[in-house]
Amino acid sequence: MTEKATVWEVFIQTKNGLAHKHVGNVHAADKIMALENARDLYTRRNEGSCIWVVKSSEIISSESEDSEAFFDPSNDKMYRHPTFYTMPDGAKHI
Amino acid sequence: MNEKNFQEKIEKEQKIEPKDWMPDGYRNHLIRQMSQHAHSEVIGMQPEGNWITRAPSLRAKMILLAKVQDEAGHGLYLYSACETLGISREELVQQLHDEKAKYSSIFNYPTLTWADMGAIGWLVDGAAIVNQVSLQRTSYGPYSRAMIKICKEESFHQRQGYEIMAEMAKGTAEQKAMAQDALNRFWWPSIMMFGPQDSESPRSGNAMKWKIKRQTNDELRQNFIDKTVGQAEVIGLTIPDPDLKWNEERGHYDFGEMDWDEFWNVVNGNGPCNQQRLDHHKKAHEDGAWVRKAAREYAKKNTIN
């Protein structure tokens, strides 16, 4: 079996001013090749104005089976949402 | 418990993601189906690549190049998605070379004339689109996302093929005959791309229960035939099936018996081009080994990685 290639995750900013969004990954030996492969694979139809690549092994993800406990601290804080508050009748622009 | 949660998620139309628990059968089914799909995109470059240097105009050549490049891209999207199941790309390619993994039998037919580029785009890509549109709703997240991306790009493939057929069908008598001949050769293999009839398809049960597949082989095939008959009529070509006729009661076209002996013969490696396709893939892979090695060595020497 041949030596395995490094996998890089690819994030594309579709237009200036927007956030980068994950689109998939590429195999490449180094970062320049990763950027060029990402360009060839994910932007054949002008989909991008900027590309980020990052080694897949560098990404830390939360565990989906723990997601309930992990996100629990925000569940009981409804007062963080504007709809929690009662506004007096007639108040405008608020 | 895990299995129950998993099935509940599926019933609620929630996607399964790479880190979620899944039954081994689900994982294995996906690896087989997605790798077969990826290999089909990659092997599918060969019959069309055959005509790049002989395209009849610069416009046709540029289009064909772009299409073949898209097929490579689609193969890569699918390998990426398949790798999230814990198998490496190197293993996937090895399975193809060891003939443990298959690819779509349609690519084991030769492309004899330029009209075959039309027939492939119109019929083969057309059939693939019907299948892929349905798979956009598959339960495995990475597969579903790859399908959505592929479907966006695929419709140009079918239109360019149909345009070639339409042009040839209104050309000289000889050109029209060439288009009809391509349709005659590719029609039956295209409708057999959807696989065995539901009554003969052993793995469909779990695939439907797990929502990997959303429609059966026969439903997808009928959908494709219903769409395509009218398109043939518009350009004045005849689908080579004497039993093809509209069934008012069913609201679908009835069609003739498919030759399953021929189908299994090609699936089992005895089609006109099986050996050639696989040999070519192995050669290209081996010829590229020094490039991969050089890239790795270069990355080791430099601090740019």
Side-chain angles (χ1 to χ4, degrees):
Chain A
M1 179 100 4
T2 49
E3 200 175 326
K4 282 180 195 166
T6 306
V7 181
W8 305 72
E9 298 302 319
V10 181
F11 300 80
I12 290 181
Q13 181 191 41
T14 51
K15 242 171 43 185
N16 171 273
L18 296 179
H20 287 64
K21 201 177 153 197
H22 183 247
V23 291
N25 62 42
V26 291
H27 286 205
D30 62 50
K31 60 186 181 184
I32 293 178
M33 190 192 282
L35 269 181
E36 289 173 354
N37 287 353
R39 174 200 61 196
D40 292 347
L41 185 56
Y42 292 104
T43 60
R44 287 194 302 282
R45 289 171 174 78
N46 284 323
E47 291 96 335
S49 57
C50 181
I51 300 178
W52 291 345
V53 291
V54 57
K55 284 183 187 169
S56 304
S57 57
E58 301 290 321
I59 295 204
I60 317 297
S61 165
S62 60
E63 299 292 329
S64 54
E65 55 246 53
D66 302 339
S67 69
E68 213 170 308
F70 188 74
F71 292 106
D72 176 66
S74 75
N75 279 346
D76 55 355
K77 298 182 178 62
M78 286 305 294
Y79 46 84
R80 282 181 170 153
H81 297 278
T83 47
F84 179 80
Y85 300 90
T86 314
M87 291 294 105
D89 289 346
K92 285 179 181 166
H93 309 300
I94 181 160
Chain B
M1 190 56 198
N2 273 339
E3 180 120 31
K4 192 167 158 275
N5 286 344
F6 169 83
Q7 195 59 39
E8 273 172 14
K9 246 177 137 175
I10 302 260
E11 300 303 329
K12 283 192 277 187
E13 295 288 328
Q14 286 176 4
K15 298 292 183 212
I16 305 300
E17 294 297 336
K19 299 185 86 172
D20 296 349
W21 185 91
M22 62 185 85
D24 288 343
Y26 179 81
R27 185 184 302 275
N28 294 335
H29 186 107
L30 278 171
I31 289 176
R32 191 179 52 242
Q33 179 172 333
M34 290 165 71
S35 70
Q36 178 171 337
H37 200 158
H39 297 324
S40 299
E41 298 281 357
V42 169
I43 297 287
M45 290 192 281
Q46 291 185 41
E48 293 183 301
N50 181 35
W51 281 91
I52 289 174
T53 56
R54 291 176 289 165
S57 67
L58 185 58
R59 176 183 186 269
K61 186 173 185 164
M62 291 192 307
I63 290 169
L64 190 58
L65 266 171
K67 179 173 188 291
V68 171
Q69 199 185 16
D70 271 356
E71 310 296 2
H74 297 172
L76 293 177
Y77 298 156
L78 282 158
Y79 283 129
S80 275
C82 193
E83 285 172 287
T84 63
L85 293 160
I87 187 164
S88 73
R89 193 167 310 182
E90 289 80 1
E91 288 170 278
L92 294 170
V93 172
Q94 196 60 47
Q95 287 179 353
L96 175 67
H97 288 177
D98 294 343
E99 302 183 45
K100 285 181 191 143
K102 295 197 181 300
Y103 55 88
S104 179
S105 279
I106 192 81
F107 302 118
N108 289 319
Y109 291 90
T111 44
L112 305 176
T113 72
W114 174 252
D116 290 8
M117 296 303 98
I120 286 182
W122 176 34
L123 302 173
V124 176
D125 288 284
I129 289 170
V130 167
N131 188 36
Q132 291 172 161
V133 164
S134 179
L135 284 172
Q136 290 181 115
R137 292 169 54 238
T138 191
S139 58
Y140 188 54
Y143 194 21
S144 162
R145 293 191 283 274
M147 286 298 107
I148 290 166
K149 206 189 301 265
I150 287 175
C151 283
K152 266 189 208 157
E153 300 185 353
E154 194 86 51
S155 63
F156 120 66
H157 296 185
Q158 195 189 16
R159 293 181 70 140
Q160 67 86 33
Y162 188 56
E163 187 190 77
I164 291 173
M165 291 300 257
E167 286 292 316
M168 292 188 79
K170 68 179 186 209
T172 64
E174 207 182 349
Q175 286 167 332
K176 184 170 183 183
M178 215 184 258
Q180 182 63 50
D181 172 62
L183 171 56
N184 292 350
R185 283 180 290 110
F186 276 95
W187 174 254
W188 291 101
S190 297
I191 67 169
M192 287 197 278
M193 279 173 69
F194 296 100
Q197 279 155 308
D198 295 345
S199 52
E200 306 287 326
S201 188
R203 296 194 189 100
S204 272
N206 273 337
M208 296 293 286
K209 180 182 125 196
W210 288 331
K211 302 196 180 188
I212 294 175
K213 286 185 75 160
R214 305 307 307 256
Q215 289 171 287
T216 69
N217 294 353
D218 286 340
E219 286 167 352
L220 293 166
R221 182 169 14 246
Q222 185 73 61
N223 179 347
F224 171 70
I225 291 171
D226 291 348
K227 276 180 205 270
T228 309
V229 174
Q231 293 165 2
E233 281 165 7
V234 166
I235 57 176
L237 295 179
T238 309
I239 289 176
D241 178 358
D243 297 323
L244 188 74
K245 64 169 190 294
W246 179 250
N247 182 326
E248 193 65 55
E249 208 173 302
R250 291 201 310 128
H252 293 292
Y253 281 92
D254 288 337
F255 52 96
E257 273 296 312
M258 290 164 278
D259 182 353
W260 293 106
D261 290 340
E262 148 101 5
F263 176 79
W264 289 113
N265 191 40
V266 180
V267 168
N268 291 324
N270 306 314
C273 299
N274 294 55
Q275 199 57 48
Q276 181 188 335
R277 300 291 185 237
L278 204 56
D279 287 349
H280 184 83
H281 192 277
K282 284 181 189 166
K283 184 175 184 300
H285 192 68
E286 282 158 19
D287 287 352
W290 72 271
V291 180
R292 293 190 292 276
K293 185 158 188 288
R296 275 197 304 272
E297 294 304 321
Y298 183 75
K300 270 183 215 161
K301 261 192 204 166
N302 288 274
T303 47
I304 56 162
N305 59 329

